[in-house]
Amino acid sequence: MPDHTRDRAEAAGLRGDCERCFGLCCVALPFAASADFAIDKQAGKPCPNLRGDHRCGIHAELRTRGFTGCTVYDCFGAGQKVSQLTFGGQDWRTGSREQVRRMADVFPVVRQLHELLWYLTEALTLPAARPVVADLRRALRKTEELTRQTPEELLALDVGAHRQEVNVLLLRTSELARAGTGGRKKNRRGADLMGARLRGADLAGADLRGAYLIAADLTGADLRGADLIGADLRDADLTDADLTGAFFLTQPQLNAAKGGPGTRLPESVSRPVHWRARP
């Protein structure tokens, strides 16, 4: 079935637009020296690779220089929202130390809300979600309104409570969507499948919400119509896997996985560039 999530996401500003952002992900977020990051960085402190024009000085070499985590991350458009709307286009470089701190604190909040907007936007493209369309639209409007609040209101917001409210609706959407895939629906919600040998596995219509699939071998697996919301796909091998019609799959999840030209993807995401670079 056709999936127009990507077009809707573009129109709704749910894709990162670095041209309109002040490099907030390179300032607000902390990271520790690990397999994903070459150095330690505190929240609110600019990354040493961030240039004066808010661009990454090693963007083309991030993976080879030990910053794989940066290539996986996606703000779902929260960066430009906080930069241009929440703080009215005021560059953190020209503001006070307090301004930097507030932007660093607000950015993760808006990022969470934008991720919810992504899921709700995709849910509205699923034909099976027709019974809950009105509720989805209301949740979408409410979430969008929350993203337009003042910095003070955003910092006081109970994002967890709102996520819980939206999640009930997304769960119902998932049930409706997976009911139409046919066959036995496997429940692997939150399952520990790290390193699991799932080559060629039949996971069509499976509930994989929050499943740990780190380094799992999913080569040739059938994941058509599966719910992948929150599934950890870091280093999971999706070579020749079929994810056609899989839903609630985000670009960061896919960027963290391995795959190739034979991997079949839903239209809501793009094939990661580094997949093509693999030998």
Side-chain angles (χ1 to χ4, degrees), residues 134-153:
D135 292 330
L136 287 169
R137 287 176 177 162
R138 278 193 291 270
L140 185 71
R141 285 195 299 271
K142 179 179 179 179
T143 306
E144 174 60 31
E145 289 169 0
L146 290 175
T147 70
R148 296 179 175 276
Q149 294 187 118
T150 66
E152 293 72 24
E153 290 171 328

Side-chain angles (χ1 to χ4, degrees), residues 1 15 61 67 76 95 108 134 142 162 178 185 205 213 233 241 243 257 275:
M1 74 185 87
R15 287 190 178 277
E61 305 170 346
F67 290 87
F76 296 99
K142 179 179 179 179
H162 183 64
R178 291 184 297 107
K185 311 299 183 300
L213 288 158
L233 295 172
L243 288 84
W275 285 11

Side-chain angles (χ1 to χ4, degrees), residues 45-62:
K45 181 180 179 181
C47 174
N49 297 312
L50 185 64
R51 303 186 319 202
D53 61 358
H54 301 299
R55 292 179 178 274
C56 176
I58 61 169
H59 187 267
E61 305 170 346
L62 283 169

Side-chain angles (χ1 to χ4, degrees), residues 87-99:
F87 288 92
Q90 183 177 355
D91 189 336
W92 58 267
R93 290 185 188 275
T94 62
S96 64
R97 183 172 298 181
E98 173 63 17
Q99 177 83 341

